[in-house]
């Protein structure tokens, strides 16, 4: 299926939309003031060790200290162990591996999210166009996405011939290496080794905390990571950045040069392809299905819940058939929404209850098929006893909503506000408290127009009764600038 990649550049941010058949499949946003740091390599300093959590806090020069768990510390293999190089994960307790004040070479594997600092690993990996370089390892791995066994063996054999035995480091072959020539692979190997040499030189001459290597910008990562055999074109709406990406491609990704296009139309690129509208939809809680059904998506700090509803879809035959068709459509829409919104962590999906096991199996199979185009690591479990589908999706950066939005100052992120009547009763109770504490000549209530209207109409008797009870007049003032829950009581 042909794929277009649209890149919208402004001085403040870069936005990327991946399109298939005119429909947005993925959205990526990177702001100049807050670039993601996954992949960055730092020389850090251990500031605190927590034996109880088997973790350490590392100062890498960011606003918050970063977090290193013992499982993310790469340890040398003990003599007598099978294999060579390093072992994965530490067998010793962290307090016997690290000490406070120690300098440490670390790489960010997860951006700071919410109140949590960045997550680190001491296992360094540097991504190229076709290969990932593992300078501390000594083996060659093949991406799981390359399914053909013969192709896997052929790639491993070719890379083994290209990498001398006495050279340090190992490699993982990426899917982009399928069909690559030996010259292209050799160029990638040299490029990655050059980066590692620069990092080591910088580490020797720097004092912690120090940034040694910064991951590519979003525009450059598009050329390195996003392009695949289905990509038909990469459309860029900035002449300056078109030239920069062309220069980058000439050096590092020459195969994508012919895909680059400079958009010069009058209408904004994202408006022309309906991307702006799609971004607005991706921030909504409710997602409409073409059949008339809909999804309700709620994102919390720990997990995301997705509820499937039939809505106005009644079907043409029987109710079971209606439910089945709605769930099949929802499976595809949910998979797309997970990519669009970049939702990660635990995800719970409440499909509409299906009576027959065949229908459940078919929906689950369709859901897994729809998720197959996602590049992010996921695990999907079958239906639970309660009829829910549980899954996890690796979270490496903030979701779209967290990048573009903040909690509503009116409702405090609840998604609801108190009714005007609830606020009127709150004010009456507050007036009684104030009257018992202070001996004012008069009490003035300043509140939103909807609340004042209730006092002038349906709740006028309640206000008059309270005024008689406290023996003081109560005046009202409508303030259009106040939110429905906001009010003040002024003592005159």
């Amino acid at each position: 299926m042909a794929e277009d990649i649209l890149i919208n550049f402004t001085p403040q941010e870069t936005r990327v939309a991946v399109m298939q058949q005119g429909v947005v499949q993925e959205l990526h946003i990177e702001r100049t003031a807050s670039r993601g740091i996954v992949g960055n390599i730092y020389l850090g300093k251990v500031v605190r060790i927590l034996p109880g959590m088997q973790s350490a806090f590392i100062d890498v020069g960011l606003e918050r200290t970063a977090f290193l768990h013992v499982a993310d510390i790469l340890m040398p293999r003990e003599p007598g162990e099978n294999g060579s190089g390093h072992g994965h994960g530490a067998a010793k307790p962290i307090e016997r591996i690290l000490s406070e004040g120690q300098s440490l070479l670390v790489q960010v594997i997860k951006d700071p999210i919410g109140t949590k600092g960045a997550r680190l690993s001491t296992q360094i990996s540097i991504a190229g166009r076709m290969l990932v370089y593992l300078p501390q390892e000594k083996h060659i791995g093949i991406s799981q996405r390359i399914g053909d066994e013969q192709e896997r063996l052929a790639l491993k054999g070719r890379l083994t011939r290209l990498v001398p035995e006495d050279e340090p480091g190992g490699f993982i072959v990426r899917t982009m290496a399928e069909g690559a020539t030996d010259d292209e692979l050799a160029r990638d190997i040299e490029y990655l080794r050059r980066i590692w040499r620069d990092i080591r030189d910088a580490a020797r001459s720097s004092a912690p905390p120090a940034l040694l290597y910064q991951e590519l910008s979003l525009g450059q990562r598009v050329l390195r990571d996003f392009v695949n055999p289905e990509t038909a074109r990469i459309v860029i709406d900035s002449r300056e950045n078109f030239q920069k990406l062309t220069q980058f491609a000439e050096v590092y990704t020459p195969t994508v040069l012919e895909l680059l296009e400079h958009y010069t139309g009058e209408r904004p690129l994202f408006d022309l392809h309906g991307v702006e509208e799609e971004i607005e939809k991706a921030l909504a809680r409710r997602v409409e299905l073409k059949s008339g059904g809909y999804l309700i998506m709620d994102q919390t700090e720990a997990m995301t819940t997705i509820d499937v509803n039939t809505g106005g879809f009644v079907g043409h035959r029987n109710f079971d058939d209606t439910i089945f068709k709605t769930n099949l459509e929802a499976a595809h829409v949910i998979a797309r929404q997970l990519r669009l919104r970049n939702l990660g962590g635990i995800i719970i999906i409440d499909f509409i209850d299906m009576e027959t096991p065949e229908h459940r199996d078919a929906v689950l199979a369709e859901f897994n098929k729809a998720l197959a185009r996602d590049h992010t690591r996921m695990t999907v479990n079958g239906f639970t006893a309660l009829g829910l589908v549980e899954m996890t999706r690796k979270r490496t950066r903030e979701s779209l909503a967290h990048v573009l939005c903040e909690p509503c100052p009116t409702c405090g992120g609840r998604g609801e506000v108190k009714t005007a009547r609830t606020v009127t009763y709150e004010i009456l109770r507050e007036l009684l408290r104030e009257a018992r504490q202070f001996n004012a000549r008069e009490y003035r209530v300043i509140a939103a127009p909807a609340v004042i209207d209730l006092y002038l109409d349906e709740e006028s008797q309640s206000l008059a009764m309270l005024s008689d009870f406290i023996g003081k007049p109560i005046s009202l003032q409508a303030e259009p600038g106040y939110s429905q829950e906001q009010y003040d009581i002024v003592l005159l």
Side-chain angles (χ1 to χ4, degrees):
M1 194 181 295
E3 183 178 277
D4 288 343
I5 300 175
L6 313 180
I7 310 180
N8 164 234
F9 281 101
T10 65
Q12 299 79 27
E13 66 181 4
T14 302
R15 300 186 301 170
V16 174
V18 180
M19 313 283 293
Q20 283 184 352
Q21 294 183 318
V23 179
V24 184
Q25 298 296 331
E26 293 178 43
L27 282 168
H28 301 267
I29 297 175
E30 181 176 85
R31 291 191 166 156
T32 310
S34 55
R35 268 183 67 175
I37 60 171
V38 169
N40 284 7
I41 298 172
Y42 294 87
L43 185 64
K45 180 191 281 187
V46 181
V47 293
R48 192 176 171 203
I49 296 173
L50 305 173
M53 293 174 62
Q54 283 298 290
S55 304
F57 288 120
I58 314 292
D59 178 14
V60 293
L62 300 174
E63 187 179 339
R64 288 192 297 271
T65 53
F67 178 82
L68 174 66
H69 190 266
V70 71
D72 296 316
I73 299 176
L74 193 70
M75 294 294 290
R77 293 188 190 275
E78 297 296 331
E81 280 191 69
N82 292 329
S84 61
H86 292 68
H88 289 269
K92 295 179 184 175
I94 196 166
E95 61 270 25
R96 289 178 56 196
I97 303 168
L98 304 179
S99 56
E100 290 187 7
Q102 175 183 347
S103 295
L104 199 62
L105 193 67
V106 290
Q107 185 168 33
V108 178
I109 56 175
K110 188 180 287 188
D111 272 331
I113 295 176
T115 57
K116 299 174 184 175
R119 183 157 181 173
L120 306 175
S121 171
T122 65
Q123 181 179 10
I124 307 299
S125 64
I126 306 166
R129 167 81 172 144
M130 299 167 195
L131 306 169
V132 177
Y133 183 42
L134 307 172
Q136 303 139 311
E137 294 278 338
K138 190 58 183 171
H139 75 272
I140 293 172
I142 310 291
S143 167
Q144 292 180 344
R145 289 183 176 271
I146 301 176
D148 186 274
E149 193 59 36
Q150 285 187 324
E151 178 71 12
R152 293 170 68 88
L153 289 170
L155 280 168
K156 189 166 186 176
R158 288 169 60 199
L159 204 64
T160 304
R161 290 194 300 274
L162 290 168
V163 180
E165 272 292 319
D166 57 342
E167 287 278 357
F171 291 90
I172 296 172
V173 181
R174 308 182 73 180
T175 51
M176 291 304 298
E178 286 188 278
T181 65
D182 284 358
D183 283 347
E184 288 172 332
L185 291 173
R187 276 201 302 270
D188 224 26
I189 291 168
E190 178 50 37
Y191 161 67
L192 292 168
R193 289 198 192 281
R194 189 168 68 244
I195 289 176
W196 177 238
R197 283 197 298 270
D198 292 343
I199 290 168
R200 280 188 310 173
D201 292 345
R204 290 192 193 103
S205 60
S206 303
L211 173 62
L212 305 179
Y213 168 76
Q214 187 168 27
E215 179 58 291
L216 301 178
S217 68
L218 178 56
Q220 293 167 331
R221 291 202 309 276
V222 167
L223 305 192
R224 186 189 71 187
D225 300 338
F226 290 30
V227 178
N228 59 59
E230 295 173 350
T231 306
R233 57 185 187 145
I234 303 166
V235 187
I236 302 158
D237 68 356
S238 155
R239 176 175 294 280
E240 180 188 351
N241 286 285
F242 172 74
Q243 290 169 347
K244 284 181 180 178
L245 290 183
T246 300
Q247 290 166 2
F248 177 84
E250 284 171 349
V251 178
Y252 299 114
T253 58
T255 54
V256 309
L257 271 171
E258 61 185 23
L259 304 179
L260 298 178
E261 286 184 21
H262 178 219
Y263 174 73
T264 56
E266 287 293 319
R267 198 171 169 198
L269 179 64
F270 271 28
D271 285 359
L272 181 67
H273 293 273
V275 181
E276 297 290 5
E277 185 183 350
E278 208 61 55
I279 291 172
E280 288 302 314
K281 287 181 183 177
L283 296 174
R285 182 171 177 251
R286 178 168 168 146
V287 180
E288 302 294 338
L289 302 178
K290 287 181 180 176
S291 63
Y294 62 92
L295 310 176
I296 296 292
M297 306 185 71
D298 285 312
Q299 188 181 346
T300 67
E301 190 171 344
M303 69 174 70
T304 299
T305 59
I306 303 173
D307 186 28
V308 184
N309 299 278
T310 53
F313 182 44
V314 294
H316 302 293
R317 280 184 284 176
N318 57 51
F319 193 53
D320 282 351
D321 187 52
T322 300
I323 290 171
F324 179 51
K325 285 187 174 176
T326 305
N327 282 338
L328 282 176
E329 185 189 357
H332 283 276
V333 174
I334 290 168
R336 176 170 166 263
Q337 288 294 325
L338 294 180
R339 294 193 302 274
L340 272 180
R341 299 171 186 238
N342 191 35
L343 296 173
I346 300 168
I347 299 162
I348 307 292
I349 304 162
D350 184 11
F351 285 105
I352 307 165
D353 288 342
M354 292 171 283
E355 296 295 328
T356 61
E358 291 81 6
H359 281 179
R360 283 198 294 272
D361 291 345
V363 167
L364 196 61
E366 198 68 21
F367 186 45
N368 279 307
K369 181 181 169 186
L371 291 171
R373 68 175 59 166
D374 202 324
H375 305 296
T376 307
R377 192 168 72 239
M378 290 173 294
T379 58
V380 181
N381 298 326
F383 283 89
T384 67
L386 294 175
L388 306 172
V389 171
E390 299 171 353
M391 67 173 288
T392 61
R393 186 173 185 269
K394 188 179 179 185
R395 176 162 44 187
T396 56
R397 56 193 171 91
E398 295 273 23
S399 68
L400 186 71
H402 282 158
V403 171
L404 300 181
C405 305
E406 63 183 10
C408 168
T410 302
C411 71
R414 294 196 312 270
E416 298 171 321
V417 293
K418 294 174 184 173
T419 64
R421 194 177 300 277
T422 301
V423 178
T424 61
Y425 295 163
E426 268 187 24
I427 292 172
L428 293 176
R429 289 193 294 272
E430 185 60 30
L431 281 166
L432 186 56
R433 278 194 289 271
E434 296 281 345
R436 285 173 173 165
Q437 195 171 354
F438 304 104
N439 186 25
R441 179 172 50 82
E442 180 186 335
Y443 297 91
R444 177 167 296 168
V445 175
I446 306 173
V451 174
I452 299 300
D453 287 348
L454 270 178
Y455 280 135
L456 295 173
D457 188 10
E458 297 172 44
E459 297 298 335
S460 57
Q461 192 174 356
S462 302
L463 195 66
M465 286 170 62
L466 180 64
S467 181
D468 289 345
F469 182 75
I470 64 176
K472 299 289 170 64
I474 301 171
S475 58
L476 303 171
Q477 180 181 328
E479 181 55 64
Y482 276 27
S483 67
Q484 191 155 286
E485 293 186 9
Q486 190 178 355
Y487 64 84
D488 288 303
I489 297 172
V490 181
L491 281 60
L492 301 172

